[in-house]
Amino acid sequence: MTQVQPLPELYFGGDYTPEHFPREVMAEDMRLMKQAGVNLVTINVFSWAQLQPNEDTWTFEWLDEIMDTLAANGIGADMGTATASTPAWLAKKYPEILPVDEKGLPFHHGSRQTFNPNSPKYRQLSALLVRKIAERYKDHPALRMWHVNNELSHQVNYDYSEITIRKFREWCKARFGACEKMNQTWGLHFWGNNIYEWDELMPPMRTAHQVNTSLLLDWKRFTNECYMEVAKAEIDILREITPEIPITTNFLYEFKTLDYFQWAELVDFISVSSFPDPKVASHPGEAALSHDIMRGLKDRPFVLLEQAPSQVNWRLANVNKKPGVMRLWSHQGLAHGSDGFLFFQWRASVHGSEKFHSAMVPHVGENSRVFREMVQFGQELPQCKEVIGSRVKADVAIVLDYNNWWTVEFTPGPTALLDYLENLKAYHYALFEENVTTDIIPVDRDFSRYKVVIAPLLYMIKPGFKEAVEKFVATGGTFVTTFFSGVVNEFDEVFSGGYPGPLSDLLGLKVEEFEAMKPYVRNSLIMNDGFPGASGEYESSLWCDILQLQGAKSLAVYGDDYFKGRPAVTVNTFGEGRAYYVATLPDPAFLRPFLKQVCAEQGVDPVCETPTGVEAVVREQDGRRYLFLLNHNYAAVDITLPDGNWFDLITEKMMMGRVSMGSVETLILKGDD
Ligand code: GLA
């Protein structure tokens, strides 16, 4: 792996396609980029057809000119490998490169990302392309990093071509050895789905009723691996030719098709396309959670490789980022560990489907609010340079498991309303609102660095998790989990003996029954005496587990239904630590004080007290603390800074005590430990 951390500068720029404009526009772009302080642009992402107009012809001259112009202007290139959009001749000459949908219908050439990840021709010709690009630009002074493909698997989540089906059968054969082993592991005897010959096995295509869920899970794992192979094939070539140049590929916001914890191993640093909806009702924790996931993938800073300067073009109605919001959200990214800020796109395109996607330079040109805000942000950014590489301080971790995400949602019943990310958000947002920063970690990360580990809706328990979490709690940690946890193993087979399966001892309880609630139904939690911070009654929805306590203590009981008075929130002492179980989905009015208290018991305090809507996050490095205060309100607020003298990195003034923050304003303050 190339050594890339910390990044040399806070990157700032956007997706750049000067080849789509008259030649003279590039000089104008250079002038405007310098004015804004752009130091990195993403190029060549979708230009395979321009580089290779037919199988025997290569036309690199236009790209040479872009690279030379960037170098002459001191701007770096995040160089795309151009494999994300296949040329028309490729589909015409080798139709096998076209993917097939779950109904068996082929896709046709005509947009982008229309390739079968398992097509040998696609693999062969894309490898040749990547090699040519890498050889040509390996010593070019503008080259800063490689951008592999683009948002892999985004458009074609799953391919059902004959090529892929055959490969899936081989994959299963290698995994299980014999059909009978697979029948047993997946439970294919159910509905008589037994397989006796490998060529009887089908992926989860269009069929009359529901597909076996274990098969579905392994199909998702298989596809994840196929796309990883596509990325790795490119990465291997790039590493061979330019071992010093870091490699990334843009991951997607709130995307569940790929297991990004596995992908993190492939790349040198994580980057992400981040497009939260600027609609007024969206929660500021939404982007924070995505940033926490991205930082957690490699447990290191990451890069916001694509943000919208203002609106996107692919929502039902595309709301603008109001004045100041682009800067605020970029600073929020910096607070949560982003060391780069690039935007889709530099100059608004005049053709095709993204004409009305915002750009750093809109159609109206430089005399625009959006460009002026870019200039302000870009010019200020170098003042934050010392933040690069610093770590976001978090004593609380939330567990995210992609396999769990897949299975908990596709299993028919108990409720189709189960949304893994929404449940994760309930816990993340409650802590976010209390200014308690969280890391997002996989199930197999070392928990010992944390004081509190929260695993909402951890339906699937993988080998090793029980032991790791028991050790964590036994030695003093706090674990929190929820309803519908500890239900199945890594093949989606239910643990016999009742839920929460392997976590029963730790939690000191069994689930006797569960009930899914209709969307309009509510139950309530009635607090028992003695839990500091939370008292009285709170609403709950979605789900109620009916518990038998086997050592755990009840903290709250249900207020309604035939299980009224039965425990709804419990705690179990296990060794030196505690394990909490929340048997329903409580209202935020409960989760906030509950989690605050759970954290307080472990000595985890909020970063600082702030007015509603003001977020506080700390990054730290070498004894220095960077306090980020982000006012997500469209109104000014007054705030009391934590004790000490604080140096404002942007205004370069010292601050202390009570200060005012304008609407959607940020403060980035340096203090000593
Ligand atoms: C993604 C893609 C870009 C562009 C933007 C639009 O991030 O990578 O090419 O289409 O979406 O929001």
Side-chain angles (χ1 to χ4, degrees):
M1 192 128 321
T2 313
Q3 182 54 43
V4 288
Q5 292 289 340
L7 296 173
E9 49 197 329
L10 288 170
Y11 286 125
F12 173 58
D15 276 80
Y16 187 40
T17 49
E19 69 275 20
H20 296 174
F21 295 88
R23 217 153 155 246
E24 60 275 13
V25 176
M26 204 160 24
E28 177 70 354
D29 287 333
M30 292 304 115
R31 179 181 72 79
L32 295 177
M33 283 189 192
K34 279 190 186 158
Q35 191 183 336
V38 165
N39 55 20
L40 185 78
V41 289
T42 301
I43 58 171
N44 199 41
V45 176
F46 299 109
S47 21
W48 189 343
Q50 283 101 309
L51 292 172
Q52 194 184 10
N54 59 59
E55 195 165 357
D56 306 313
T57 312
W58 295 91
T59 46
F60 274 98
E61 296 70 21
W62 63 271
L63 190 54
D64 296 346
E65 189 185 346
I66 296 173
M67 286 292 274
D68 294 347
T69 306
L70 292 176
N73 287 277
I75 296 168
D78 163 35
M79 174 65 106
T81 54
T83 50
S85 207
T86 46
W89 62 261
L90 192 59
K92 185 172 113 187
K93 196 165 175 187
Y94 306 108
E96 67 151 75
I97 69 117
L98 292 169
V100 174
D101 75 8
E102 70 280 9
K103 292 182 180 158
L105 298 173
F107 287 88
H108 300 281
H109 177 80
S111 58
R112 61 172 171 176
Q113 284 149 315
T114 315
F115 63 86
N116 173 352
N118 298 311
S119 151
K121 258 303 161 201
Y122 174 79
R123 296 272 184 105
Q124 179 204 339
L125 294 179
S126 58
L128 179 65
L129 173 67
V130 174
R131 188 167 287 282
K132 288 249 183 206
I133 296 171
E135 289 290 0
R136 191 164 187 106
Y137 299 109
K138 64 179 183 213
D139 297 319
H140 200 287
L143 181 65
R144 294 284 182 285
M145 60 179 77
W146 293 113
H147 177 110
V148 167
N149 210 296
N150 196 66
E151 294 180 347
L152 274 153
S153 113
H154 186 194
Q155 311 303 343
V156 177
N157 291 171
Y158 301 97
D159 168 64
Y160 302 85
S161 65
E162 273 302 318
I163 294 175
T164 297
I165 294 174
R166 279 200 299 276
K167 188 168 169 167
F168 180 53
R169 290 174 182 151
E170 288 303 317
W171 187 86
C172 292
K173 199 167 157 186
R175 184 162 174 74
F176 298 109
C179 291
E180 193 42 32
K181 178 81 190 311
M182 184 173 75
N183 288 335
Q184 291 299 327
T185 312
W186 286 354
L188 289 183
H189 46 266
F190 183 78
W191 286 348
N193 292 153
N194 311 54
I195 297 296
Y196 297 101
E197 304 278 347
W198 288 107
D199 62 4
E200 295 166 4
L201 175 64
M202 291 301 292
M205 292 180 76
R206 183 166 181 257
T207 185
H209 199 196
Q210 289 140 349
V211 171
N212 177 287
T213 55
S214 304
L215 183 157
L216 199 47
L217 171 62
D218 267 347
W219 165 253
K220 286 171 186 280
R221 288 182 172 132
F222 160 78
T223 299
N224 177 61
E225 284 182 24
C226 295
Y227 274 110
M228 281 178 77
E229 282 173 12
V230 170
K232 186 162 184 313
E234 294 194 20
I235 289 168
D236 287 348
I237 296 167
L238 299 171
R239 287 233 167 88
E240 175 201 320
I241 298 171
T242 57
E244 303 302 319
I245 300 293
I247 301 171
T248 195
T249 184
N250 48 346
F251 292 167
L252 283 139
Y253 187 81
E254 296 194 350
F255 190 64
K256 73 168 182 182
T257 312
L258 302 177
D259 183 342
Y260 281 149
F261 281 113
Q262 288 185 3
W263 280 72
E265 307 288 321
L266 289 180
V267 292
D268 293 312
F269 65 91
I270 302 293
S271 55
V272 61
S273 304
S274 179
F275 295 103
D277 194 342
K279 66 179 190 284
V280 173
S282 69
H283 192 286
E286 189 182 308
L289 173 59
S290 170
H291 301 331
D292 292 345
I293 293 173
M294 291 301 142
R295 186 182 71 251
L297 296 177
K298 267 182 122 50
D299 192 20
R300 283 205 237 145
F302 63 98
V303 168
L304 280 170
L305 202 61
E306 287 186 45
Q307 296 189 85
S310 184
Q311 82 279 17
V312 297
N313 67 320
W314 38 261
R315 292 199 168 98
L316 188 61
N318 298 290
V319 175
N320 290 355
K321 287 184 179 169
K322 295 185 193 306
V325 170
M326 177 278 296
R327 179 175 179 267
L328 170 74
W329 286 11
S330 299
H331 285 162
Q332 186 184 30
L334 184 64
H336 285 265
S338 174
D339 284 354
F341 307 89
L342 282 86
F343 294 83
F344 184 86
Q345 49 198 329
W346 164 253
R347 180 177 283 281
S349 47
V350 292
H351 292 117
S353 29
E354 293 186 318
K355 294 191 287 294
F356 303 117
H357 193 294
S358 59
M360 298 166 82
V361 183
H363 288 145
V364 68
E366 63 186 295
N367 186 14
S368 57
R369 168 184 78 87
V370 170
F371 185 67
R372 278 192 292 277
E373 288 191 27
M374 283 294 167
V375 172
Q376 182 200 351
F377 175 67
Q379 287 180 352
E380 288 169 352
L381 198 56
Q383 283 163 253
C384 302
K385 188 174 173 186
E386 62 183 81
V387 176
I388 292 178
S390 58
R391 317 240 350 168
V392 175
K393 183 174 160 46
D395 294 320
V396 179
I398 297 180
V399 171
L400 166 70
D401 185 68
Y402 284 89
N403 289 178
N404 182 64
W405 191 351
W406 303 338
T407 31
V408 80
E409 290 182 4
F410 67 52
T411 294
T415 169
L417 300 174
L418 215 48
D419 180 323
Y420 181 52
L421 200 61
E422 286 304 313
N423 276 272
L424 222 88
K425 281 180 183 175
Y427 285 77
H428 186 272
Y429 288 9
L431 290 163
F432 173 92
E433 285 165 10
E434 292 297 333
N435 288 327
V436 174
T437 310
T438 48
D439 277 350
I440 306 291
I441 60 168
V443 280
D444 56 359
R445 193 158 288 163
D446 178 14
F447 300 145
S448 63
R449 190 165 113 200
Y450 301 101
K451 295 183 172 156
V452 178
V453 171
I454 305 173
L457 215 55
L458 195 62
Y459 168 75
M460 177 184 292
I461 304 295
K462 291 179 170 168
F465 184 79
K466 167 191 159 75
E467 294 73 18
V469 74
E470 282 187 352
K471 185 173 166 209
F472 168 69
V473 178
T475 51
T478 294
F479 178 64
V480 181
T481 190
T482 72
F483 65 91
F484 215 32
S485 294
V487 180
V488 299
N489 69 11
E490 76 276 25
F491 289 104
D492 197 38
E493 179 184 352
V494 172
F495 294 115
S496 47
Y499 338 125
L503 303 182
S504 301
D505 290 346
L506 174 65
L507 294 158
L509 56 86
K510 277 275 157 94
V511 178
E512 189 177 340
E513 292 182 68
F514 52 67
E515 177 168 83
M517 294 155 80
K518 298 279 185 199
Y520 46 84
V521 174
R522 294 285 177 273
N523 205 314
S524 64
L525 295 180
I526 300 173
M527 298 304 299
N528 298 336
D529 291 339
F531 188 79
S535 60
E537 196 167 335
Y538 301 92
E539 270 196 351
S540 89
S541 60
L542 188 71
W543 187 291
C544 294
D545 274 342
I546 302 162
L547 305 178
Q548 296 172 348
L549 300 197
Q550 300 180 349
K553 187 177 135 205
S554 171
L555 299 175
V557 297
Y558 290 113
D560 201 2
D561 221 321
Y562 71 95
F563 41 87
K564 178 177 175 175
R566 298 277 292 263
V569 181
T570 67
V571 62
N572 192 42
T573 305
F574 189 89
E576 305 282 302
R578 290 172 185 184
Y580 287 89
Y581 191 81
V582 184
T584 181
L585 179 61
D587 193 75
F590 167 76
L591 280 178
R592 281 186 61 171
F594 168 68
L595 291 173
K596 190 175 183 190
Q597 172 60 20
V598 165
C599 289
E601 287 167 2
Q602 283 283 3
V604 178
D605 296 320
V607 170
C608 62
E609 299 292 335
T610 57
T612 304
V614 179
E615 181 186 355
V617 184
V618 165
R619 285 180 73 163
E620 47 188 21
Q621 172 154 269
D622 303 332
R624 289 193 308 275
R625 306 181 80 210
Y626 301 98
L627 171 64
F628 290 77
L629 295 168
L630 302 131
N631 180 14
H632 293 282
N633 300 298
Y634 293 104
V637 291
D638 287 339
I639 178 166
T640 305
L641 298 179
D643 288 346
N645 292 318
W646 296 94
F647 177 73
D648 184 326
L649 291 187
I650 307 272
T651 64
E652 300 185 323
K653 291 194 177 122
M654 293 305 293
M655 304 190 94
M656 61 186 300
R658 196 131 177 98
V659 296
S660 282
M661 292 181 74
S663 157
V664 297
E665 187 57 67
T666 56
L667 288 172
I668 306 175
L669 305 174
K670 178 166 66 165
D672 292 326
D673 243 356

